[in-house]
Amino acid sequence: QGVDEGGLAREFFRLLSAHVFTVDGGLFDPLVAQNARVLWFNSASERESTEFWLAGVILGLVVYNNMPGLDVRFPPVVFKKIKNEQLVLEDLRQVHPETYLSLRSLLSWEPEEDLMAEELNSVFENTFCLDFVVTYEMNGKTETRELCEGGKERVVTYKNREEFVRLYCEWLLTESVERQFEPFRKGVRRVCDSPLFNALHSAELELIVCGEQDLDFAQLRKNAHYDGYQEDSEYVASFWKLLMNFDLVQKKRFLSFVTGSDLAPVGGLQELQLVIQRNGDEPTERLPTA
């Protein structure tokens, strides 16, 4: 018999997330996954809203059961949206980096010489030739959407460019994926709607779901326990010397082997209770087990 210290549950959520949180399922945008290497909601998805809701429930169960290290590549903006925090231009960088750079260049543009306000707006209009309309592809067709009332007739000028960037970000990060994200958010809140969850900041929520990214094995060693060995024994010294020389990929593989997740829990590796236990007598041909 054995005692489940969380490894089985983590393995369950890992296998489940590998099936649900992937571009192959049709919930998430394959172009964003390719260009930004994150999961973002597919605005052209034909999946039912219940499937997005279920994906949110799974994420909520990870938080509810305190199982950090879900193997998903959600950008921080997803957690900001779950917590209804205000979004800014920098959030767009995580999802649409090329669009972010274009909008940033729009905001940073300045004329080469001092101009009057009317001349400045005219030069800006002739340089960028923009109006308050967004053009995008939807199921192989080119679609347009006004960012505000009368957007087709409203020209982007030097004076109103900040408003244009704000509305463009709102459309890309919120309005364009509202049909997909709202069921997802409701699924999360269906499981986690509590005063404690409401008190969490988006960054804290991200840590609970994704775990710490830094793998400091010195912290793991501090709280390690030994059964059948002494801390200063030759085997233990050789074990830690090997682990300390691991690169990041090897460290992730080791963590996945012993905990079921290749990410550190919230608070760092010192939160793990690693037990190094003698398995039989020497000499032995047994391989390590976890």
Side-chain angles (χ1 to χ4, degrees), residues 84-282:
N84 288 323
E85 295 177 6
Q86 185 176 359
L87 305 183
V88 295
L89 177 59
E90 285 299 319
D91 296 317
L92 186 65
R93 185 178 193 173
Q94 307 160 12
V95 183
H96 299 286
E98 293 183 358
T99 303
Y100 163 81
L101 291 176
S102 297
L103 295 178
R104 175 57 66 186
S105 65
L106 193 72
L107 292 176
S108 61
W109 181 88
E110 294 293 339
E112 297 180 355
E113 55 184 276
D114 293 334
L115 300 174
M116 300 295 291
E118 185 175 344
E119 293 177 313
L120 182 59
N121 285 329
S122 178
V123 172
F124 186 91
E125 293 173 24
N126 294 330
T127 301
F128 293 99
C129 302
L130 294 172
D131 50 27
F132 279 73
V133 174
V134 60
T135 302
Y136 59 98
E137 296 291 327
M138 178 68 72
N139 297 322
K141 298 181 180 179
T142 301
E143 306 283 349
T144 59
R145 169 73 179 272
E146 290 186 326
L147 296 176
C148 62
E149 186 175 352
K152 291 182 179 180
E153 287 75 37
R154 189 179 181 191
V155 177
V156 179
T157 65
Y158 182 86
K159 183 178 181 180
N160 64 22
R161 59 180 175 171
E162 291 186 2
E163 180 186 1
F164 171 79
V165 169
R166 177 179 58 81
L167 292 174
Y168 201 110
C169 288
E170 288 179 1
W171 179 82
L172 266 182
L173 296 176
T174 302
E175 296 174 15
S176 67
V177 294
E178 184 175 7
R179 186 182 70 84
Q180 294 78 23
F181 183 81
E182 276 307 301
F184 175 82
R185 185 185 65 83
K186 290 178 180 178
V188 176
R189 300 306 294 249
R190 177 67 177 83
V191 180
C192 297
D193 196 9
S194 68
L196 180 60
F197 179 81
N198 294 334
L200 289 174
H201 188 269
S202 62
E204 296 169 328
L205 178 60
E206 182 182 4
L207 284 176
I208 292 175
V209 174
C210 300
E212 296 274 3
Q213 300 299 316
D214 184 32
L215 300 180
D216 185 0
F217 273 21
Q219 296 294 328
L220 180 65
R221 185 175 187 176
K222 287 182 180 179
N223 286 342
H225 299 278
Y226 307 93
D227 185 357
Y229 291 111
Q230 298 297 322
E231 185 175 358
D232 59 352
S233 68
E234 182 180 354
Y235 277 101
V236 171
S238 298
F239 171 81
W240 286 114
K241 182 179 180 180
L242 179 66
L243 258 62
M244 294 302 180
N245 289 324
F246 276 180
D247 58 28
L248 182 60
V249 173
Q250 291 172 315
K251 287 181 178 180
K252 284 180 173 289
R253 288 175 179 172
F254 175 80
L255 273 187
S256 180
F257 173 68
V258 297
T259 69
S261 172
D262 63 357
L263 296 174
V266 177
L269 289 176
Q270 65 267 24
E271 297 299 322
L272 288 177
Q273 297 293 325
L274 179 67
V275 179
I276 302 174
Q277 185 179 40
R278 181 186 293 272
N279 188 8
D281 297 324
E282 299 293 343

Side-chain angles (χ1 to χ4, degrees), residues 75-88:
V77 65
V78 168
F79 301 98
K80 291 183 70 173
K81 285 173 64 63
I82 290 174
K83 296 296 297 177
N84 288 323
E85 295 177 6
Q86 185 176 359
L87 305 183
V88 295

